[in-house]
Coordinates of all heavy atoms in Angstrom, one line a residue:
M16 N 6.7 7.4 12.5 CA 5.9 6.6 11.7 C 4.7 6.1 12.5 O 4.8 5.8 13.6 CB 6.7 5.3 11.3 CG 7.8 5.6 10.4 SD 8.6 4.1 9.9 CE 10.3 4.7 9.6
A17 N 3.6 6.1 11.8 CA 2.4 5.7 12.4 C 1.4 5.1 11.4 O 1.6 5.3 10.2 CB 1.7 6.8 13.2
D18 N 0.4 4.4 11.9 CA -0.5 3.7 11.0 C -1.9 3.7 11.6 O -2.0 3.8 12.8 CB -0.1 2.3 10.8 CG 1.4 2.1 10.3 OD1 1.8 2.9 9.5 OD2 2.0 1.2 10.9
T19 N -2.9 3.7 10.7 CA -4.3 3.4 11.1 C -4.8 2.3 10.3 O -4.0 1.7 9.5 CB -5.1 4.7 10.9 OG1 -5.3 4.8 9.5 CG2 -4.6 5.9 11.5
K20 N -6.0 1.9 10.5 CA -6.5 0.8 9.7 C -6.8 1.1 8.2 O -7.1 0.2 7.5 CB -7.8 0.3 10.4 CG -7.5 -0.4 11.7 CD -8.8 -1.1 12.3 CE -8.4 -1.7 13.6 NZ -9.5 -2.4 14.2
T21 N -6.7 2.3 7.8 CA -6.9 2.6 6.4 C -5.8 3.4 5.8 O -5.9 3.9 4.7 CB -8.2 3.4 6.2 OG1 -8.2 4.6 7.0 CG2 -9.4 2.5 6.6
E22 N -4.7 3.6 6.5 CA -3.6 4.3 6.0 C -2.3 4.0 6.7 O -2.3 3.5 7.9 CB -3.8 5.8 6.0 CG -3.8 6.4 7.4 CD -4.0 7.9 7.4 OE1 -4.3 8.5 6.3 OE2 -3.9 8.5 8.4
F23 N -1.2 4.1 6.0 CA 0.1 4.1 6.6 C 0.8 5.4 6.3 O 0.6 6.0 5.2 CB 1.0 3.0 6.0 CG 0.5 1.6 6.3 CD1 -0.4 0.9 5.5 CD2 1.0 1.0 7.5 CE1 -0.8 -0.4 5.8 CE2 0.6 -0.3 7.8 CZ -0.3 -1.0 7.0
Y24 N 1.5 6.0 7.3 CA 2.1 7.3 7.0 C 3.4 7.4 7.7 O 3.7 6.7 8.7 CB 1.2 8.4 7.3 CG 0.7 8.6 8.7 CD1 1.4 9.3 9.6 CD2 -0.5 8.0 9.1 CE1 1.0 9.5 10.9 CE2 -0.9 8.1 10.4 CZ -0.2 8.8 11.3 OH -0.6 9.0 12.6
I25 N 4.2 8.3 7.3 CA 5.5 8.7 7.9 C 5.5 10.1 8.2 O 5.1 11.0 7.4 CB 6.7 8.4 6.9 CG1 6.7 6.9 6.5 CG2 8.0 8.8 7.5 CD1 7.6 6.5 5.4
A26 N 5.8 10.4 9.5 CA 5.8 11.8 9.9 C 7.3 12.2 10.3 O 8.0 11.3 10.9 CB 4.9 12.0 11.2
M27 N 7.6 13.4 10.0 CA 8.9 13.9 10.4 C 8.7 15.3 10.9 O 7.9 16.1 10.3 CB 9.9 14.0 9.2 CG 10.2 12.6 8.6 SD 11.4 12.8 7.3 CE 11.6 11.1 6.8
D28 N 9.4 15.6 12.0 CA 9.2 17.0 12.6 C 7.8 17.3 12.8 O 7.4 18.5 12.7 CB 9.9 18.0 11.7 CG 11.4 17.8 11.5 OD1 12.0 17.3 12.4 OD2 11.8 18.0 10.3
G29 N 7.0 16.4 13.2 CA 5.6 16.6 13.6 C 4.6 16.7 12.4 O 3.5 17.0 12.6
N30 N 5.1 16.5 11.2 CA 4.3 16.6 10.0 C 4.3 15.3 9.2 O 5.3 14.7 9.1 CB 4.8 17.8 9.0 CG 4.8 19.1 9.7 OD1 3.8 19.5 10.2 ND2 5.9 19.8 9.7
I31 N 3.1 15.0 8.6 CA 3.0 13.9 7.7 C 3.7 14.2 6.4 O 3.3 15.2 5.8 CB 1.6 13.4 7.5 CG1 0.9 12.9 8.8 CG2 1.5 12.4 6.4 CD1 -0.5 12.6 8.8
V32 N 4.7 13.4 6.1 CA 5.5 13.7 4.8 C 5.2 12.7 3.8 O 5.6 12.9 2.6 CB 7.0 13.9 5.1 CG1 7.2 15.0 6.1 CG2 7.6 12.6 5.7
A33 N 4.7 11.5 4.1 CA 4.3 10.5 3.2 C 3.1 9.7 3.7 O 3.0 9.5 4.9 CB 5.5 9.5 3.0
Q34 N 2.3 9.3 2.8 CA 1.0 8.7 3.2 C 0.5 7.7 2.1 O 0.6 8.0 0.9 CB 0.0 9.8 3.4 CG -1.4 9.3 3.8 CD -2.3 10.5 4.0 OE1 -2.1 11.6 3.6 NE2 -3.4 10.2 4.8
L35 N 0.1 6.6 2.5 CA -0.5 5.6 1.6 C -1.9 5.3 2.2 O -2.1 4.9 3.3 CB 0.3 4.3 1.6 CG -0.2 3.2 0.7 CD1 1.0 2.4 0.1 CD2 -1.2 2.3 1.4
E36 N -2.9 5.5 1.4 CA -4.3 5.3 1.8 C -4.8 4.0 1.1 O -4.5 3.8 -0.1 CB -5.2 6.4 1.4 CG -4.9 7.7 2.1 CD -5.7 8.9 1.6 OE1 -6.5 8.7 0.6 OE2 -5.5 10.0 2.2
F37 N -5.6 3.2 1.9 CA -6.1 2.0 1.3 C -7.5 1.7 1.9 O -7.9 2.3 2.9 CB -5.2 0.8 1.5 CG -5.0 0.4 3.0 CD1 -5.8 -0.6 3.5 CD2 -4.0 1.0 3.7 CE1 -5.6 -1.0 4.9 CE2 -3.8 0.6 5.1 CZ -4.6 -0.4 5.6
V38 N -8.2 0.8 1.2 CA -9.5 0.4 1.6 C -9.6 -1.1 1.8 O -9.4 -1.8 0.8 CB -10.6 0.9 0.6 CG1 -12.0 0.5 1.1 CG2 -10.5 2.4 0.4
P39 N -9.8 -1.6 3.0 CA -10.0 -3.0 3.1 C -11.4 -3.3 2.5 O -12.4 -2.6 2.9 CB -9.9 -3.3 4.6 CG -9.7 -2.0 5.2 CD -9.8 -0.9 4.2
C40 N -11.6 -4.3 1.7 CA -12.9 -4.6 1.1 C -13.0 -6.1 0.8 O -12.0 -6.9 1.0 CB -13.2 -3.8 -0.1 SG -11.9 -3.9 -1.4
V41 N -14.1 -6.6 0.4 CA -14.4 -8.0 0.1 C -14.6 -8.1 -1.4 O -15.5 -7.4 -1.9 CB -15.6 -8.5 0.9 CG1 -15.9 -10.0 0.5 CG2 -15.3 -8.4 2.4
R42 N -13.9 -8.9 -2.1 CA -14.0 -9.1 -3.5 C -15.3 -9.9 -3.7 O -15.5 -11.0 -3.1 CB -12.8 -9.9 -4.0 CG -12.6 -9.7 -5.5 CD -11.3 -10.1 -5.9 NE -10.8 -11.4 -5.4 CZ -9.7 -12.0 -5.9 NH1 -9.0 -11.5 -6.8 NH2 -9.4 -13.2 -5.4
E43 N -16.2 -9.4 -4.6 CA -17.5 -10.0 -4.8 C -17.4 -11.5 -5.3 O -18.2 -12.3 -4.9 CB -18.3 -9.2 -5.8 CG -18.8 -7.9 -5.1 CD -19.8 -7.2 -6.1 OE1 -20.4 -7.8 -7.0 OE2 -19.9 -6.0 -5.9
R44 N -16.5 -11.7 -6.3 CA -16.6 -13.0 -7.0 C -16.2 -14.2 -6.1 O -16.7 -15.3 -6.3 CB -15.7 -13.0 -8.2 CG -14.2 -13.0 -8.0 CD -13.5 -13.1 -9.2 NE -12.1 -13.0 -8.9 CZ -11.1 -12.8 -9.8 NH1 -11.5 -12.5 -11.0 NH2 -9.9 -12.8 -9.4
D45 N -15.3 -14.0 -5.1 CA -14.9 -15.1 -4.2 C -15.0 -14.8 -2.7 O -14.7 -15.6 -1.9 CB -13.5 -15.6 -4.5 CG -12.5 -14.5 -4.4 OD1 -12.8 -13.4 -3.9 OD2 -11.4 -14.7 -4.9
H46 N -15.5 -13.6 -2.4 CA -15.7 -13.1 -1.0 C -14.4 -13.1 -0.2 O -14.5 -13.2 1.1 CB -16.8 -14.0 -0.3 CG -18.1 -14.0 -1.1 ND1 -18.9 -12.9 -1.1 CD2 -18.7 -14.9 -1.9 CE1 -19.9 -13.1 -1.9 NE2 -19.8 -14.4 -2.4
K47 N -13.3 -13.0 -0.8 CA -12.0 -12.8 -0.1 C -11.8 -11.4 0.3 O -12.1 -10.5 -0.5 CB -10.9 -13.4 -0.9 CG -10.9 -14.9 -1.1 CD -9.6 -15.3 -1.8 CE -9.7 -16.8 -1.9 NZ -8.4 -17.3 -2.5
E48 N -11.2 -11.2 1.5 CA -10.8 -9.8 1.9 C -9.6 -9.4 1.1 O -8.6 -10.2 1.0 CB -10.6 -9.8 3.4 CG -11.8 -10.0 4.2 CD -11.6 -9.8 5.7 OE1 -10.8 -8.9 6.0 OE2 -12.2 -10.6 6.4
V49 N -9.6 -8.2 0.6 CA -8.5 -7.6 -0.1 C -8.2 -6.2 0.3 O -9.0 -5.6 1.0 CB -8.7 -7.6 -1.7 CG1 -8.9 -9.1 -2.2 CG2 -9.9 -6.8 -2.0
I50 N -7.1 -5.7 -0.1 CA -6.7 -4.3 0.2 C -6.6 -3.6 -1.1 O -5.9 -4.0 -2.0 CB -5.3 -4.3 0.9 CG1 -5.4 -4.9 2.3 CG2 -4.8 -2.8 1.0 CD1 -4.1 -5.1 3.0
L51 N -7.4 -2.5 -1.2 CA -7.4 -1.7 -2.4 C -6.5 -0.5 -2.1 O -6.9 0.4 -1.3 CB -8.8 -1.3 -2.8 CG -8.9 -0.7 -4.1 CD1 -10.1 -1.2 -4.9 CD2 -9.1 0.8 -4.0
I52 N -5.4 -0.3 -2.7 CA -4.5 0.9 -2.5 C -5.0 1.9 -3.5 O -4.9 1.8 -4.7 CB -3.0 0.6 -2.7 CG1 -2.5 -0.5 -1.8 CG2 -2.2 1.9 -2.6 CD1 -1.1 -0.9 -2.0
N53 N -5.5 3.0 -2.9 CA -6.1 4.0 -3.8 C -5.2 5.3 -3.9 O -5.5 6.1 -4.8 CB -7.5 4.4 -3.4 CG -7.7 4.8 -2.0 OD1 -6.7 4.9 -1.3 ND2 -8.9 5.0 -1.6
H54 N -4.2 5.5 -3.0 CA -3.5 6.7 -3.1 C -2.2 6.6 -2.3 O -2.1 6.1 -1.2 CB -4.4 7.9 -2.4 CG -3.8 9.2 -2.5 ND1 -3.7 9.9 -3.7 CD2 -3.3 10.0 -1.6 CE1 -3.1 11.1 -3.5 NE2 -2.9 11.2 -2.2
T55 N -1.1 7.1 -2.9 CA 0.2 7.2 -2.3 C 0.7 8.6 -2.6 O 0.6 9.1 -3.7 CB 1.2 6.2 -2.8 OG1 0.6 4.9 -2.7 CG2 2.5 6.2 -2.0
L56 N 1.2 9.3 -1.5 CA 1.6 10.7 -1.7 C 2.9 10.9 -0.8 O 2.9 10.5 0.3 CB 0.6 11.7 -1.2 CG 0.9 13.1 -1.2 CD1 1.1 13.6 -2.6 CD2 -0.1 13.9 -0.5
V57 N 3.9 11.5 -1.4 CA 5.1 11.9 -0.7 C 5.3 13.4 -1.0 O 5.2 13.8 -2.1 CB 6.3 11.1 -1.2 CG1 7.6 11.6 -0.4 CG2 6.2 9.6 -0.9
A58 N 5.4 14.2 0.1 CA 5.6 15.6 -0.1 C 6.9 15.9 -0.9 O 7.9 15.2 -0.9 CB 5.8 16.3 1.3
D59 N 6.8 16.9 -1.8 CA 7.8 17.2 -2.8 C 9.2 17.2 -2.1 O 10.2 16.7 -2.6 CB 7.6 18.5 -3.4 CG 6.4 18.5 -4.4 OD1 6.0 17.4 -4.8 OD2 5.9 19.5 -4.7
K60 N 9.3 17.9 -1.0 CA 10.6 18.0 -0.3 C 11.2 16.7 0.1 O 12.4 16.6 0.3 CB 10.3 18.9 1.0 CG 11.6 19.2 1.8 CD 11.2 20.0 3.0 CE 12.4 20.2 3.9 NZ 12.0 21.0 5.1
Y61 N 10.4 15.6 0.2 CA 10.9 14.3 0.7 C 10.9 13.3 -0.4 O 11.3 12.1 -0.1 CB 10.0 13.9 1.9 CG 10.1 14.8 3.1 CD1 9.3 15.9 3.2 CD2 11.1 14.6 4.0 CE1 9.4 16.8 4.3 CE2 11.3 15.5 5.1 CZ 10.4 16.6 5.2 OH 10.5 17.4 6.3
R62 N 10.7 13.6 -1.6 CA 10.7 12.6 -2.7 C 12.1 12.2 -2.9 O 13.1 12.9 -2.7 CB 10.1 13.2 -3.9 CG 8.6 13.4 -3.8 CD 7.9 13.8 -5.0 NE 6.5 13.9 -4.8 CZ 5.6 14.2 -5.6 NH1 5.9 14.5 -6.8 NH2 4.3 14.3 -5.3
G63 N 12.3 11.0 -3.5 CA 13.6 10.5 -3.8 C 14.3 9.8 -2.6 O 15.5 9.5 -2.7
R64 N 13.6 9.7 -1.5 CA 14.3 9.1 -0.3 C 13.8 7.7 0.0 O 14.1 7.1 1.0 CB 14.0 10.0 0.9 CG 14.5 11.4 0.8 CD 14.2 12.2 2.1 NE 14.6 13.5 1.9 CZ 14.7 14.4 2.9 NH1 14.3 14.0 4.2 NH2 15.0 15.6 2.7
G65 N 12.9 7.2 -0.9 CA 12.4 5.8 -0.7 C 11.2 5.7 0.2 O 10.9 4.6 0.6
L66 N 10.6 6.8 0.6 CA 9.5 6.8 1.5 C 8.3 6.1 0.9 O 7.6 5.4 1.6 CB 9.2 8.2 2.0 CG 10.3 9.0 2.7 CD1 9.8 10.3 3.1 CD2 10.8 8.2 3.9
G67 N 8.0 6.4 -0.3 CA 6.9 5.7 -1.0 C 7.0 4.2 -1.0 O 6.1 3.4 -0.7
R68 N 8.2 3.7 -1.3 CA 8.5 2.3 -1.3 C 8.4 1.7 0.1 O 7.9 0.6 0.3 CB 9.9 2.0 -1.9 CG 10.2 0.6 -2.1 CD 11.5 0.4 -2.8 NE 11.5 0.9 -4.2 CZ 11.2 0.1 -5.2 NH1 10.8 -1.1 -5.1 NH2 11.2 0.7 -6.4
E69 N 8.8 2.5 1.1 CA 8.7 2.0 2.5 C 7.2 1.8 2.8 O 6.9 0.8 3.5 CB 9.3 3.1 3.4 CG 9.3 2.7 4.8 CD 9.9 3.7 5.8 OE1 10.8 4.4 5.4 OE2 9.5 3.7 7.0
L70 N 6.4 2.7 2.4 CA 5.0 2.6 2.7 C 4.4 1.3 2.0 O 3.6 0.6 2.5 CB 4.2 3.8 2.2 CG 4.5 5.1 3.1 CD1 3.9 6.3 2.4 CD2 4.0 4.9 4.5
I71 N 4.8 1.1 0.7 CA 4.4 -0.1 0.0 C 4.8 -1.3 0.8 O 4.0 -2.3 0.9 CB 4.9 -0.1 -1.4 CG1 4.4 1.1 -2.3 CG2 4.7 -1.4 -2.1 CD1 3.0 1.1 -2.6
N72 N 6.0 -1.4 1.2 CA 6.5 -2.5 2.0 C 5.7 -2.7 3.3 O 5.5 -3.9 3.7 CB 8.0 -2.4 2.3 CG 8.8 -2.6 1.1 OD1 8.5 -3.3 0.1 ND2 10.0 -2.0 1.0
R73 N 5.3 -1.7 3.9 CA 4.5 -1.8 5.1 C 3.1 -2.4 4.8 O 2.6 -3.2 5.6 CB 4.4 -0.5 5.9 CG 5.8 -0.2 6.5 CD 6.0 1.2 7.0 NE 5.0 1.7 7.9 CZ 4.9 3.0 8.2 NH1 5.7 3.9 7.8 NH2 4.0 3.4 9.1
V74 N 2.5 -1.9 3.8 CA 1.1 -2.4 3.4 C 1.3 -3.9 3.0 O 0.4 -4.7 3.3 CB 0.4 -1.6 2.4 CG1 0.9 -1.7 1.0 CG2 -1.1 -1.8 2.5
V75 N 2.3 -4.3 2.3 CA 2.6 -5.7 1.9 C 2.8 -6.5 3.2 O 2.2 -7.6 3.3 CB 3.8 -5.8 1.0 CG1 4.2 -7.2 0.8 CG2 3.5 -5.2 -0.4
K76 N 3.5 -6.1 4.1 CA 3.7 -6.8 5.4 C 2.4 -7.0 6.1 O 2.1 -8.1 6.6 CB 4.7 -6.0 6.3 CG 5.0 -6.7 7.6 CD 6.0 -5.9 8.4 CE 6.3 -6.6 9.7 NZ 7.2 -5.9 10.5
Y77 N 1.6 -5.9 6.1 CA 0.2 -6.0 6.7 C -0.6 -7.0 6.0 O -1.3 -7.9 6.6 CB -0.4 -4.6 6.7 CG -1.8 -4.6 7.2 CD1 -2.2 -4.7 8.5 CD2 -2.9 -4.5 6.3 CE1 -3.5 -4.7 8.9 CE2 -4.2 -4.5 6.7 CZ -4.5 -4.6 8.0 OH -5.8 -4.6 8.4
A78 N -0.6 -7.0 4.6 CA -1.4 -7.9 3.9 C -1.0 -9.4 4.1 O -1.9 -10.2 4.3 CB -1.3 -7.6 2.4
R79 N 0.3 -9.6 4.2 CA 0.7 -11.0 4.4 C 0.3 -11.4 5.8 O -0.1 -12.6 6.0 CB 2.2 -11.0 4.3 CG 2.7 -11.0 2.8 CD 4.2 -11.0 2.7 NE 4.5 -11.0 1.3 CZ 5.6 -10.4 0.8 NH1 6.4 -9.7 1.6 NH2 5.9 -10.5 -0.5
A80 N 0.4 -10.6 6.8 CA 0.1 -10.9 8.2 C -1.4 -11.2 8.3 O -1.8 -12.1 9.1 CB 0.4 -9.8 9.1
E81 N -2.2 -10.5 7.5 CA -3.7 -10.7 7.6 C -4.2 -11.7 6.5 O -5.4 -11.9 6.4 CB -4.4 -9.4 7.3 CG -4.1 -8.3 8.4 CD -4.6 -8.8 9.8 OE1 -5.7 -9.3 9.9 OE2 -3.8 -8.6 10.8
Q82 N -3.2 -12.3 5.8 CA -3.6 -13.2 4.7 C -4.5 -12.6 3.7 O -5.5 -13.2 3.3 CB -4.1 -14.5 5.2 CG -3.1 -15.2 6.1 CD -3.6 -16.5 6.7 OE1 -4.8 -16.8 6.8 NE2 -2.7 -17.4 7.1
M83 N -4.2 -11.4 3.2 CA -5.0 -10.7 2.3 C -4.1 -10.4 1.0 O -2.9 -10.5 1.1 CB -5.4 -9.3 2.8 CG -6.3 -9.5 4.1 SD -6.6 -7.9 4.9 CE -7.8 -7.2 3.8
Q84 N -4.8 -10.1 -0.1 CA -4.1 -9.7 -1.3 C -4.3 -8.2 -1.6 O -5.2 -7.6 -1.0 CB -4.5 -10.6 -2.5 CG -3.9 -12.0 -2.3 CD -4.2 -12.8 -3.6 OE1 -5.4 -13.1 -3.9 NE2 -3.2 -13.2 -4.3
I85 N -3.6 -7.7 -2.5 CA -3.6 -6.2 -2.8 C -4.1 -6.0 -4.2 O -3.5 -6.6 -5.2 CB -2.3 -5.6 -2.5 CG1 -1.9 -5.7 -1.1 CG2 -2.3 -4.1 -3.0 CD1 -0.4 -5.3 -0.8
I86 N -5.0 -5.0 -4.4 CA -5.3 -4.5 -5.7 C -4.8 -3.1 -5.7 O -5.3 -2.2 -5.0 CB -6.9 -4.5 -5.9 CG1 -7.4 -5.9 -5.8 CG2 -7.2 -3.8 -7.2 CD1 -8.9 -6.0 -5.9
P87 N -3.8 -2.8 -6.5 CA -3.2 -1.4 -6.6 C -3.9 -0.6 -7.6 O -3.6 -0.7 -8.8 CB -1.7 -1.7 -6.9 CG -1.8 -2.9 -7.8 CD -2.9 -3.8 -7.2
V88 N -4.7 0.3 -7.2 CA -5.4 1.3 -8.1 C -4.4 2.5 -8.3 O -4.4 3.0 -9.4 CB -6.7 1.7 -7.6 CG1 -7.4 2.8 -8.4 CG2 -7.7 0.5 -7.4
C89 N -3.7 2.9 -7.3 CA -2.8 4.0 -7.3 C -1.7 3.6 -8.3 O -1.1 2.5 -8.2 CB -2.2 4.2 -5.9 SG -0.7 5.1 -5.9
P90 N -1.4 4.5 -9.3 CA -0.4 4.2 -10.3 C 1.0 3.9 -9.7 O 1.7 3.0 -10.2 CB -0.3 5.4 -11.2 CG -1.7 6.1 -11.0 CD -2.1 5.7 -9.6
F91 N 1.4 4.6 -8.7 CA 2.7 4.4 -8.1 C 2.8 3.0 -7.4 O 3.7 2.2 -7.6 CB 3.0 5.5 -7.0 CG 4.3 5.2 -6.3 CD1 5.5 5.5 -6.8 CD2 4.3 4.7 -5.0 CE1 6.7 5.2 -6.2 CE2 5.5 4.4 -4.3 CZ 6.7 4.7 -4.9
A92 N 1.7 2.7 -6.6 CA 1.7 1.4 -6.0 C 1.7 0.2 -7.0 O 2.4 -0.8 -6.9 CB 0.5 1.3 -5.1
K93 N 0.9 0.4 -8.1 CA 0.9 -0.6 -9.1 C 2.3 -0.8 -9.8 O 2.7 -1.9 -10.0 CB -0.1 -0.2 -10.2 CG -0.3 -1.2 -11.3 CD -1.5 -0.7 -12.2 CE -1.6 -1.8 -13.3 NZ -2.9 -1.9 -13.9
M94 N 2.9 0.3 -10.1 CA 4.3 0.2 -10.7 C 5.2 -0.5 -9.8 O 5.9 -1.4 -10.2 CB 4.8 1.6 -10.9 CG 6.2 1.6 -11.5 SD 7.0 3.3 -11.6 CE 7.2 3.6 -9.8
I95 N 5.3 -0.2 -8.5 CA 6.2 -0.9 -7.6 C 5.8 -2.3 -7.4 O 6.7 -3.2 -7.5 CB 6.2 -0.2 -6.2 CG1 6.7 1.3 -6.3 CG2 7.0 -0.9 -5.1 CD1 8.1 1.4 -6.7
L96 N 4.6 -2.6 -7.2 CA 4.2 -4.0 -6.9 C 4.3 -4.9 -8.2 O 4.7 -6.1 -8.0 CB 2.7 -4.1 -6.4 CG 2.5 -3.5 -5.0 CD1 1.0 -3.3 -4.8 CD2 3.2 -4.3 -4.0
E97 N 4.1 -4.4 -9.3 CA 4.3 -5.2 -10.5 C 5.7 -5.3 -11.0 O 6.0 -6.2 -11.8 CB 3.4 -4.6 -11.7 CG 1.9 -4.8 -11.5 CD 1.1 -4.2 -12.6 OE1 1.6 -3.4 -13.4 OE2 -0.1 -4.5 -12.6
S98 N 6.6 -4.5 -10.5 CA 8.0 -4.5 -11.0 C 8.9 -5.4 -10.2 O 10.1 -5.6 -10.6 CB 8.6 -3.0 -10.9 OG 8.8 -2.7 -9.5
D99 N 8.4 -6.1 -9.2 CA 9.3 -6.9 -8.4 C 8.6 -8.2 -8.0 O 7.5 -8.2 -7.4 CB 9.7 -6.2 -7.1 CG 10.9 -6.8 -6.4 OD1 11.0 -8.1 -6.4 OD2 11.7 -6.1 -5.8
A100 N 9.1 -9.3 -8.4 CA 8.5 -10.6 -8.1 C 8.3 -10.9 -6.6 O 7.5 -11.8 -6.3 CB 9.4 -11.7 -8.7
K101 N 9.0 -10.2 -5.8 CA 8.8 -10.5 -4.3 C 7.4 -10.1 -3.8 O 7.0 -10.5 -2.7 CB 9.9 -9.8 -3.5 CG 9.8 -8.3 -3.4 CD 10.9 -7.8 -2.5 CE 10.8 -6.2 -2.4 NZ 11.9 -5.7 -1.7
Y102 N 6.7 -9.4 -4.6 CA 5.3 -9.0 -4.2 C 4.3 -9.9 -4.9 O 3.1 -9.7 -4.6 CB 5.1 -7.6 -4.6 CG 6.0 -6.6 -4.0 CD1 6.8 -5.7 -4.8 CD2 6.1 -6.4 -2.6 CE1 7.6 -4.8 -4.3 CE2 7.0 -5.5 -2.1 CZ 7.7 -4.7 -2.9 OH 8.6 -3.8 -2.3
K103 N 4.7 -10.9 -5.7 CA 3.7 -11.7 -6.5 C 2.7 -12.4 -5.6 O 1.5 -12.5 -6.0 CB 4.5 -12.7 -7.3 CG 3.7 -13.5 -8.2 CD 4.6 -14.4 -9.0 CE 3.7 -15.2 -10.0 NZ 4.5 -16.1 -10.8
D104 N 3.1 -12.8 -4.4 CA 2.1 -13.5 -3.5 C 1.0 -12.7 -3.0 O -0.1 -13.2 -2.7 CB 2.9 -14.1 -2.4 CG 3.5 -13.1 -1.4 OD1 4.1 -12.2 -1.9 OD2 3.3 -13.2 -0.2
V105 N 1.1 -11.4 -3.0 CA 0.0 -10.5 -2.5 C -0.7 -9.7 -3.6 O -1.7 -9.1 -3.4 CB 0.5 -9.5 -1.4 CG1 1.0 -10.3 -0.2 CG2 1.6 -8.6 -1.9
L106 N -0.1 -9.7 -4.8 CA -0.6 -8.8 -5.9 C -1.7 -9.5 -6.7 O -1.6 -10.6 -7.1 CB 0.6 -8.5 -6.9 CG 0.2 -7.6 -8.1 CD1 -0.3 -6.3 -7.6 CD2 1.4 -7.5 -9.0
I107 N -2.8 -8.8 -6.8 CA -3.9 -9.2 -7.7 C -3.8 -8.3 -9.0 O -3.8 -7.1 -8.9 CB -5.3 -9.0 -7.1 CG1 -5.4 -9.8 -5.8 CG2 -6.4 -9.3 -8.1 CD1 -6.7 -9.6 -5.1
T108 N -3.7 -9.0 -10.1 CA -3.5 -8.3 -11.4 C -4.8 -8.5 -12.3 O -5.6 -9.4 -12.0 CB -2.3 -8.8 -12.2 OG1 -2.4 -10.2 -12.4 CG2 -1.0 -8.5 -11.4
G109 N -4.9 -7.7 -13.3 CA -6.0 -7.9 -14.2 C -7.4 -7.5 -13.7 O -8.4 -8.2 -14.1
F110 N -7.4 -6.5 -12.9 CA -8.7 -6.1 -12.4 C -9.3 -5.0 -13.2 O -8.7 -4.4 -14.0 CB -8.6 -5.6 -10.9 CG -7.5 -4.6 -10.7 CD1 -7.8 -3.3 -10.8 CD2 -6.2 -5.0 -10.4 CE1 -6.8 -2.3 -10.6 CE2 -5.2 -4.1 -10.2 CZ -5.5 -2.7 -10.3

């Protein structure tokens, strides 16, 4: 497992098998820093193992540590974040 400032990813056997890409940005209306999740991908062979959810949890942990909120543009991220109340503190809806 490894991370950069714009992505979280999971590697197995030397290959990236799951990846979440995001963009840190500043919301114009209130100038707060937010995380825009724009893409989540899990290789077909590794789907169904919870890797996508693991990546969502890692970006949520990062957002909380940095006191940021998340705008999920990626349909998968949006589905996961909106489906569980435990993400309510970091989720921005209605964008």
Side-chain angles (χ1 to χ4, degrees):
M16 292 181 208
D18 308 318
T19 69
K20 290 187 179 183
T21 59
E22 68 180 9
F23 290 93
Y24 62 91
I25 298 170
M27 294 182 181
D28 300 322
N30 298 306
I31 294 175
V32 298
Q34 180 178 19
L35 180 148
E36 296 176 356
F37 67 93
V38 179
C40 53
V41 176
R42 199 163 51 169
E43 285 186 26
R44 70 175 181 200
D45 57 13
H46 305 288
K47 289 187 178 183
E48 292 186 39
V49 298
I50 294 170
L51 189 138
I52 300 175
N53 56 4
H54 185 68
T55 306
L56 175 69
V57 177
D59 290 341
K60 180 179 175 181
Y61 295 91
R62 290 189 180 177
R64 299 182 186 190
L66 299 180
R68 187 175 294 270
E69 181 179 335
L70 292 171
I71 296 292
N72 286 331
R73 286 165 56 191
V74 76
V75 166
K76 183 178 178 180
Y77 173 77
R79 287 177 176 145
E81 297 297 319
Q82 299 180 337
M83 299 170 78
Q84 288 187 295
I85 297 171
I86 298 172
V88 175
C89 164
F91 175 78
K93 184 174 180 157
M94 178 190 69
I95 297 297
L96 293 169
E97 289 180 349
S98 70
D99 196 325
K101 72 180 178 183
Y102 301 122
K103 187 176 180 180
D104 65 311
V105 296
L106 178 63
I107 296 175
T108 58
F110 52 91

